[in-house]
Amino acid sequence: MNLLPVFLVGLMGSVHCIGMCGGIVGALSSAGPQRRASPPASSLVRYAPAASAASTASGAAARIISIQPVPAVSGIGIALMQDATRVLCYNLGRLSSYAAAGALAGGISAGVLRGADVLGWLAPAQQLAYAVANLLLVLLGLYLTQWWSALARLEQWGQGLWALVRPLATRFIPVDTPAKALALGALWGWLPCGMVYSALLSALMSGSAADGALTMLAFGAGTLPMLMAAGLSGARMRRLAARPMWRRAAGIVVLAFGVLGLLRVAEVGGLGIARGWIDVFCVSPAHGV
């Protein structure tokens, strides 16, 4: 299974993830314990031991030898590390749910492909799945560019499952510990998302549970940089990702992947472009078509 295009789809499509998950990820950086103020300089005064009764008579002020205030940045640094830990744990949980879904999809496809192989339908079945997967990339690209929102209807299919998961997810809010962030991410990964569904279809073509899990991990890894940045920078990254030009640019790239893939499908029937360098940028089934 070629994982590069799946990773790139996750990377380009992560501008959509900011809209879907950016709010909860941004909340991770404000859900931790209150940041402690740096202790006052007077609490860090060093004293010299009294050498004689005469020195004690002069008072405590005479025994001060240095003042060492703690820089305020130390407290901020600790808080930033805590924020980063929670954001990372949330994303690790999210990727674990993607991997589980990919393993399930890949396991199902393994049985279907074996049955199709026995019946002599393997090549047509793979070609059809490959075409559908790339058509879904085209729809995803159109969705990201906001030229056509047909893919949004797919997200409605997952509303039933999300209705069951969402009450569990709310139990981990506020997300003030890494364990809560990990659990919330594992549940939030089941949020209905057309982009995730398009990646799952690629996992469905992988031919095994292990390859399906790897496919979804590659997709999740692509979304990781943007969501990590959103978690640490808060609303700034969300405002940047919401700009139409970024969404449109990302959508055009994803759209191009889908169009190239459809041309590869057509090549199987003698109508498209030849194999070669283009295979690197196309989602391909486990056994090739």
Side-chain angles (χ1 to χ4, degrees):
M1 190 74 182
N2 185 10
L3 299 180
L4 177 61
V6 182
F7 171 82
L8 292 176
V9 166
L11 183 64
M12 294 295 103
S14 55
V15 293
H16 174 64
C17 295
I18 295 295
M20 297 288 287
C21 303
I24 188 65
V25 174
L28 296 176
S29 60
S30 60
Q34 292 293 325
R35 298 181 180 179
R36 297 180 181 179
S38 299
S42 59
S43 66
L44 297 172
V45 172
R46 294 179 56 202
Y47 293 90
S52 65
S55 63
T56 58
S58 62
R63 293 182 281 114
I64 298 176
I65 60 173
S66 67
I67 299 177
Q68 298 178 343
V70 172
V73 71
S74 62
I76 296 175
I78 292 173
L80 288 176
M81 289 180 60
Q82 292 172 343
D83 293 346
T85 299
R86 288 193 299 275
V87 172
L88 178 61
C89 287
Y90 166 83
N91 282 286
L92 289 177
R94 184 174 59 87
L95 264 63
S96 71
S97 65
Y98 288 172
L104 180 61
I108 292 173
S109 72
V112 172
L113 289 175
R114 279 195 294 269
D117 197 14
V118 171
L119 296 173
W121 299 345
L122 180 59
Q126 282 188 321
Q127 187 175 353
L128 177 61
Y130 181 50
V132 172
N134 285 283
L135 179 60
L136 205 56
L137 286 183
V138 170
L139 293 178
L140 176 59
L142 294 173
Y143 180 42
L144 291 174
T145 57
Q146 299 180 334
W147 291 340
W148 192 30
S149 58
L151 192 64
R153 298 173 186 174
L154 281 178
E155 296 176 355
Q156 298 175 0
W157 296 358
Q159 291 296 334
L161 175 61
W162 181 240
L164 299 175
V165 174
R166 184 173 183 174
L168 297 176
T170 57
R171 296 182 182 181
F172 299 102
I173 299 175
V175 196
D176 50 6
T177 66
K180 283 186 175 182
L182 185 67
L184 181 64
L187 293 172
W188 210 265
W190 300 97
L191 180 74
C193 175
M195 195 172 76
V196 174
Y197 295 159
S198 66
L200 270 176
L201 191 53
S202 297
L204 191 65
M205 295 194 310
S206 64
S208 71
D211 286 341
L214 284 175
T215 299
M216 291 305 294
L217 282 175
F219 166 77
T223 67
L224 195 57
M226 184 73 78
L227 285 181
M228 283 293 296
L232 296 176
S233 65
R236 289 190 297 261
M237 180 62 70
R238 294 198 296 275
R239 287 194 297 268
L240 181 64
R243 293 181 179 179
M245 69 172 190
W246 293 115
R247 288 184 60 91
R248 192 167 294 117
I252 289 173
V253 172
V254 175
L255 178 62
F257 286 146
V259 170
L260 287 175
L262 290 176
L263 290 174
R264 266 289 278 112
V265 174
E267 184 271 333
V268 176
L271 300 175
I273 56 181
R275 298 186 183 188
W277 64 267
I278 197 171
D279 285 350
V280 177
F281 298 99
C282 293
V283 174
S284 58
H287 305 289
V289 290

